[in-house]
Amino acid sequence: MCGIVAYLGNREAYPILIEGLRKLEYRGYDSAGVALMQGNTIQMYKKKGRVDELDSYCASKDRHGNAGIAHTRWATHGEPNEENAHPHVSEDGTIALIHNGIIENYLSLKKGLLAEGVTFKSETDTEVLVHLIRRVQEKEQVSLPDAVMLALSMVEGTYALAILSVDDPDQLVVAKKGSPLLIGTEGNEFFVASDGAPIVGFTQDVVYLDDGDVGVLRLGQPIKIKNINDEQHLLKRPSFHKLELTLEQLEKGGFDTFMLKEIFEQPKAVRDSMRGRINLKKDVVSLGGIIEYEQKMLNAKRFIIVACGTSWHAGLVAEYIFESLVRVPVEVEYASEFRYRNPIIHEDDVLIAISQSGETADTLAAVEIGKKHGATVIGICNVVGSTLARETMAGSYTHAGPEIGVASTKAFTAQVTVLALMALSLAKKKGTISKSEYHKLISDLETIPEKISQVLEQEQHIQRIAQYVATRPNALFLGRGVNYPVALEGALKLKEISYIHAEGYPAAEIKHGPIALVDNTMPVIVIATEQETYDKVVSNVQEIIARKGTIISVVTEGDTAVKKMSKFCIEIPKTEELLTPLVASVPLQLLAYHVAVIRDCDVDKPRNLAKSVSVE
Ligand code: G6P
């Protein structure tokens, strides 16, 4: 939700900022803006729409300046237009600010500022910050960093901020609470961004700010950080980390879109998520990141999985795998619901938070609740150094590589892989799995990348099916058991990128309502792979045929019963039932992708969405 970039150094800031915004556009793309320090004035350009529109608009403008801040927006308060686009400036034009997050008490702060005669230009929550900081500075006669510290102590909500002031053109002030912010340094230059993507081409050395940190960056001086929660406001020693990211990973690599590239990267992503964690010869699975808390996991009375979106679907798959192998009850919760329903959590619960970005606000809030109640809190995430990775007690990275398409694909299969490894390792140590079952499952896991490759070879066939689905206004996705979350994920992929209304259901449940929607115009996508309930799924398919629904099926190679009843059929290699989602979800990703392309949708940046949902 909103991406921010800032630069201070001796190069022209504009090209660095605009390229940085392009790399962060997945975080929001309603409007974009940039402010440049030109001598002792701040020059600002803003545009509704994408970063490219801002760049074209700026082409004829004066873009020089060695310091600047830039923002790409996902609107929370106020419609996407130029007034509401960031940066926002103080009334006297001396301070410019960009913000990612939400100021929850903005209405009361705004009321106070209005009473003091401040005029607001936008409907945003952010604008209160710039006026508040300026007011504090004037009243208290303090420096900008001190004014920021004081102002932020009055603020409730979340923020990542970068602030320029004409009073000190060689300085950039940054602050963080609840939204991500990194500072990269190289020689006499500072690069600030919401994630590592805009920074990696310039330096690998970064500092991740902690909540409450306010950083002061000045030309020729080291980074100075204080924390607003430290009453003495002592200087903190910045802790440097290496960015685990390459520029190549941030490019489309010959594919038309990031999403297609990421779908095709899945054999590698799944392999990378298993690398070093399975030793087939010794029949051993181990996840280094959780060793310290393994005993707690082995003693757990219950697993609570919290996540949002596609990561929640990975959690649902894990429920089947964990309960079947580890024999401990599992609850899977939407983090956004969990955080507000006063959940019952015990000290012998293990809370597993799953998040691709590691920055989803609701998931992070659920983690805090788990910690507060004394549960063991484990994270599964993709982005190295993300807030989730730092806020959980232990965890495992998925190692899927950067995922840029807004619709999640390879992160999902990598999450399921890591969760399966976790369950296998715990089950073996608890003695809840037989040797042969254990061996069968880890051997099958090893073959998953190859099976995904075989599914990807069917792209043209799936494209033909997409021609049909693209003409329909609705679609139903059905599955049973471990394929039920696959149906949910298939429906989510279709609706989020092609805007076709789609619903996922457990196949047997359609009799309780959705079957009323079935007629000869309704495509029903059924996952009917080899599983314990296969015969039941066959009956469900018959019920749909009887109502003239059109069956599109995903079946195991060699299937005859469901294939015969299908208008279109996608065959996938035979896979152990519990691991089927790793293979069965791939054709549904390709189907959604091609439907969206046929319908001329912006696949990588679907309307109204953003990849990293760092606001509630
Ligand atoms: C957004 C993205 C989804 C993602 C969800 C959760 O809605 O568009 O693709 O599944 O957030 O994100 P997370 O980073 O926590 O997995």
Side-chain angles (χ1 to χ4, degrees), residues 389-408:
R390 287 178 294 128
E391 292 299 322
T392 44
M393 297 169 180
S396 297
Y397 283 119
T398 41
H399 297 306
E403 192 181 65
I404 294 165
V406 165
S408 187

Side-chain angles (χ1 to χ4, degrees), residues 308-311 354-358 360 406-408 496 610-611 613:
C308 302
T310 291
S311 298
I354 311 170
S355 171
Q356 187 285 131
S357 62
T360 301
V406 165
S408 187
E496 69 182 330
K611 186 152 190 72
V613 184

Side-chain angles (χ1 to χ4, degrees), residues 1 26 307-312 354-361 363 380-381 383 388 403 405-409 411 415 489 492-493 496 606 609-613:
M1 306 262 121
Y26 73 87
C308 302
T310 291
S311 298
W312 184 74
I354 311 170
S355 171
Q356 187 285 131
S357 62
E359 301 296 348
T360 301
T363 308
I380 293 184
C381 78
V383 177
L388 184 77
E403 192 181 65
V406 165
S408 187
T409 51
Q415 285 164 347
E489 177 58 10
L492 176 63
K493 283 290 87 83
E496 69 182 330
L609 298 179
K611 186 152 190 72
S612 186
V613 184

Side-chain angles (χ1 to χ4, degrees), residues 344-364:
I344 299 160
I345 307 170
H346 302 293
E347 286 186 5
D348 47 18
D349 286 334
V350 170
L351 183 138
I352 302 177
I354 311 170
S355 171
Q356 187 285 131
S357 62
E359 301 296 348
T360 301
D362 287 321
T363 308
L364 294 175

